[in-house]
């Protein structure tokens, strides 16, 4: 799964650690999401979407979609 998490995080000037603190997950989890090595759970995806005031489908994309 691809995502816009890095783009959204960097637009706010947050480090991976700062985003992790806001979501109550580790920096490593944020890194894994951003690099596509980990797909977040549905509850975490909802928290990410709420934090960025966006919908889940505007942040996460299946591989191959733009």
């Amino acid at each position: 799964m691809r995502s816009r998490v890095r783009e959204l995080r960097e637009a706010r000037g947050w480090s991976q650690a700062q985003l992790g603190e806001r979501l109550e997950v580790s920096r490593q989890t944020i890194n894994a999401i951003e690099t596509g090595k980990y797909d977040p759970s549905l509850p975490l995806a909802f928290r990410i979407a709420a934090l960025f005031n966006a919908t889940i489908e505007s942040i996460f994309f299946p591989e191959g979609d733009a």
Side-chain angles (χ1 to χ4, degrees):
M1 179 178 297
R2 295 181 319 122
S3 81
R4 295 180 50 232
V5 171
R6 177 175 301 193
E7 169 192 336
L8 295 168
R9 174 183 59 77
E10 290 179 347
R12 286 156 179 80
W14 298 340
S15 69
Q16 290 181 339
Q18 290 170 323
L19 178 57
E21 289 173 12
R22 285 175 164 83
L23 295 170
E24 299 180 348
V25 299
S26 70
R27 181 200 60 77
Q28 290 83 359
T29 297
I30 300 302
N31 183 62
I33 292 170
E34 289 184 353
T35 58
K37 295 178 181 170
Y38 171 73
D39 293 337
S41 66
L42 189 56
L44 178 55
F46 272 109
R47 293 198 329 257
I48 292 169
L51 183 63
F52 291 123
N53 195 29
T55 60
I56 290 175
E57 60 269 23
S58 71
I59 298 175
F60 297 97
F61 308 92
E63 290 292 333
D65 283 2

